[in-house]
Amino acid sequence: MNRVVTLSEFIVERQADFPFAKGELSRLLSAIRLAAKVVNREVNKAGLVDDILGSSGAENIQGEVQQKLDVYANNQMINALRAQQEVCGIGSEENDEVIAFDKGQALWGKYIVMMDPLDGSSNIDVNVSIGTIFSIYRRKSKAGTVATAEDFLQPGLDLVAAGYVIYGSSTMLVFSTGNGVNGFTLDPSIGVFCLSHPNMRVPKDGRMYSINEGNYRQFPEGVKRYIKYCQDEDAATGRPYTSRYIGSLVADVHRNMIKGGIYIYPSTGSNPDGKLRLMYENIPLAFIVEQAGGRATDGKNRILSLTPEHLHQRTPLFIGSKNMVDKAEAFMEEYSSTSAAVKNEN
Ligand code: AHM
Ligand code: MG
């Protein structure tokens, strides 16, 4: 029987991979791991608990109704990170403003964490997979001071680690510190994450495309043409491809990480920058997918090379198997100048 490697053992063994001081990453990841387990416990009993299931009545900065579990997950993550004192600031999709700790040891924390504590939360009520997405940056400002905007608005190229937790048929934590991607499955009987998917690689080609086709009429011409390409018959390339859209980004990306595929959330007429947030969703997932050999762009530019201008910024996202993203980008390029009149005819 193979020896089971737990997440804690793995982190200790791989500390040399982390370019900065030893121990800090372990403490940070163990805070995230702990919060993930607590959120997982609540997610699993969501259907049982009246005051957890359903909406909290509040709206977040994007004007979306917050689900109670979003608020719960947000608080758990913040509390766990605050307790570790390695972090001087946290940006969360659920908070209008950043949290910059202004007293105590946290002022000396060297890291910033950006997160979407519970992505896909509209799926909670219907028992569909949801996820937590996080990314870790090194602060730019001086330790001992309150973190500033330049600490929070860093490009993905400056990331030091990122990951996601998927609360699915099993719960997994997948992360990268820039040396490949590893996935750990929670063994609920002992409450321990065990290495189940070492060195994850996104297949170079895939046969699945994921997009909310209900918005078809509002898509850029390049995306419309790419969808048609996916639906065309061509035995040589295995088309038509299969359409799979869970509507839960972590779940769609995770499936494509394992089976190959592309996820697209393009600009639409009503959301010219797409829906997904650069800092909380796109950058961390782009980092992981690239580390696994895939690609992530906004249809033109590499997601990781974009410098965020504001906290809750959105960008289009094309992410997944390298050859599929290349192809979709080629369509975007070819039809970039198609006029609005032509677009509306399709
Ligand atoms: P959320 O962060 O508010 O949950 O929104 C993000 C989610 C993604 O998980 C999912 O891929 C997308 O929104 C679905 O959006 P749509 O319903 O427009 O297809
Ligand atoms: Mg969310």
Side-chain angles (χ1 to χ4, degrees), residues 29 32 163 168 182 213 242 302 330 334:
L29 284 172
I32 291 166
N182 291 282
E213 282 185 69
T242 293
R302 186 183 175 200
E334 187 176 349

Side-chain angles (χ1 to χ4, degrees), residues 58-131:
E59 285 192 354
N60 64 9
I61 181 86
Q62 278 90 21
E64 297 148 348
V65 176
Q66 282 181 328
Q67 301 288 305
K68 281 183 181 164
L69 263 175
D70 289 20
V71 178
Y72 181 85
N74 196 34
N75 292 339
Q76 287 299 325
M77 289 286 287
I78 292 169
N79 292 342
L81 291 166
R82 180 190 279 135
Q84 288 292 347
Q85 302 195 330
E86 300 292 351
V87 167
C88 61
I90 301 170
S92 165
E93 189 187 301
E94 298 301 336
N95 291 112
D96 302 2
E97 306 289 339
V98 295
I99 300 170
F101 297 120
D102 58 2
K103 48 180 176 296
Q105 192 55 34
L107 280 175
W108 297 89
K110 292 185 192 142
Y111 298 94
I112 297 283
V113 171
M114 305 300 284
M115 61 176 179
D116 181 352
L118 212 56
D119 179 71
S121 46
S122 63
N123 288 315
I124 296 169
D125 289 2
V126 290
N127 231 330
V128 168
S129 300
I130 46 183

Side-chain angles (χ1 to χ4, degrees), residues 172-241:
M172 277 188 76
L173 192 155
V174 173
F175 78 96
S176 173
T177 54
N179 286 289
V181 182
N182 291 282
F184 299 79
T185 302
L186 182 66
D187 180 340
S189 62
I190 50 172
V192 172
F193 281 103
C194 302
L195 180 62
S196 52
H197 294 63
N199 193 23
M200 293 173 79
R201 304 297 297 164
V202 189
K204 234 177 158 181
D205 284 298
R207 297 192 51 250
M208 276 188 234
Y209 71 100
S210 266
I211 187 165
N212 184 345
E213 282 185 69
N215 296 327
Y216 184 86
R217 291 185 64 85
Q218 296 189 36
F219 288 157
E221 187 61 19
V223 170
K224 290 180 175 174
R225 301 280 177 147
Y226 179 67
I227 292 173
K228 287 289 167 231
Y229 166 84
C230 292
Q231 296 170 343
D232 281 347
E233 282 196 24
D234 177 38
T237 50
R239 286 177 289 143
Y241 295 156

Side-chain angles (χ1 to χ4, degrees), residues 3-319:
R3 188 175 80 86
V4 174
V5 178
T6 68
L7 177 57
S8 325
E9 287 171 339
F10 183 88
I11 293 169
V12 171
E13 280 168 21
R14 296 289 185 93
Q15 271 192 358
D17 285 356
F18 197 54
F20 306 109
K22 291 192 174 44
E24 293 169 355
L25 173 70
S26 319
R27 286 193 286 277
L28 261 175
L29 284 172
S30 58
I32 291 166
R33 178 188 58 190
L34 176 67
K37 281 193 218 170
V38 177
V39 173
N40 177 61
R41 189 188 65 202
E42 296 306 309
V43 166
N44 280 330
K45 63 183 188 195
L48 295 171
V49 186
D50 260 348
D51 68 347
I52 291 280
L53 186 68
S55 154
S56 70
E59 285 192 354
N60 64 9
I61 181 86
Q62 278 90 21
E64 297 148 348
V65 176
Q66 282 181 328
Q67 301 288 305
K68 281 183 181 164
L69 263 175
D70 289 20
V71 178
Y72 181 85
N74 196 34
N75 292 339
Q76 287 299 325
M77 289 286 287
I78 292 169
N79 292 342
L81 291 166
R82 180 190 279 135
Q84 288 292 347
Q85 302 195 330
E86 300 292 351
V87 167
C88 61
I90 301 170
S92 165
E93 189 187 301
E94 298 301 336
N95 291 112
D96 302 2
E97 306 289 339
V98 295
I99 300 170
F101 297 120
D102 58 2
K103 48 180 176 296
Q105 192 55 34
L107 280 175
W108 297 89
K110 292 185 192 142
Y111 298 94
I112 297 283
V113 171
M114 305 300 284
M115 61 176 179
D116 181 352
L118 212 56
D119 179 71
S121 46
S122 63
N123 288 315
I124 296 169
D125 289 2
V126 290
N127 231 330
V128 168
S129 300
I130 46 183
T132 296
I133 309 171
F134 62 91
S135 49
I136 302 173
Y137 297 82
R138 227 164 132 84
R139 75 183 298 167
K140 300 257 186 221
S141 59
K142 233 173 118 231
T145 61
V146 179
T148 62
E150 63 159 355
D151 294 319
F152 290 98
L153 299 179
Q154 297 192 42
L157 289 173
D158 291 349
L159 258 184
V160 292
Y164 61 79
V165 183
I166 175 166
Y167 310 97
S169 46
S170 56
T171 296
M172 277 188 76
L173 192 155
V174 173
F175 78 96
S176 173
T177 54
N179 286 289
V181 182
N182 291 282
F184 299 79
T185 302
L186 182 66
D187 180 340
S189 62
I190 50 172
V192 172
F193 281 103
C194 302
L195 180 62
S196 52
H197 294 63
N199 193 23
M200 293 173 79
R201 304 297 297 164
V202 189
K204 234 177 158 181
D205 284 298
R207 297 192 51 250
M208 276 188 234
Y209 71 100
S210 266
I211 187 165
N212 184 345
E213 282 185 69
N215 296 327
Y216 184 86
R217 291 185 64 85
Q218 296 189 36
F219 288 157
E221 187 61 19
V223 170
K224 290 180 175 174
R225 301 280 177 147
Y226 179 67
I227 292 173
K228 287 289 167 231
Y229 166 84
C230 292
Q231 296 170 343
D232 281 347
E233 282 196 24
D234 177 38
T237 50
R239 286 177 289 143
Y241 295 156
T242 293
S243 165
R244 287 280 182 275
Y245 190 68
I246 300 170
S248 198
L249 177 64
V250 172
D252 277 312
V253 168
H254 182 69
R255 185 201 54 243
N256 291 345
M257 287 272 293
I258 292 172
K259 296 196 165 178
I262 185 169
Y263 172 100
I264 303 177
Y265 208 111
S267 59
T268 62
S270 45
N271 289 314
D273 296 323
K275 175 184 184 191
L276 303 173
R277 295 77 174 172
L278 178 60
M279 301 234 59
Y280 310 120
E281 290 159 330
N282 299 353
I283 287 178
L285 293 176
F287 181 78
I288 294 166
V289 164
E290 281 199 6
Q291 281 292 319
R295 289 193 66 218
T297 78
D298 64 2
K300 192 172 179 193
N301 310 292
R302 186 183 175 200
I303 291 286
L304 293 185
S305 66
L306 302 174
T307 301
E309 283 160 18
H310 58 91
L311 206 56
H312 296 283
Q313 187 173 338
R314 298 170 194 259
T315 66
L317 180 65
F318 295 63
I319 188 167

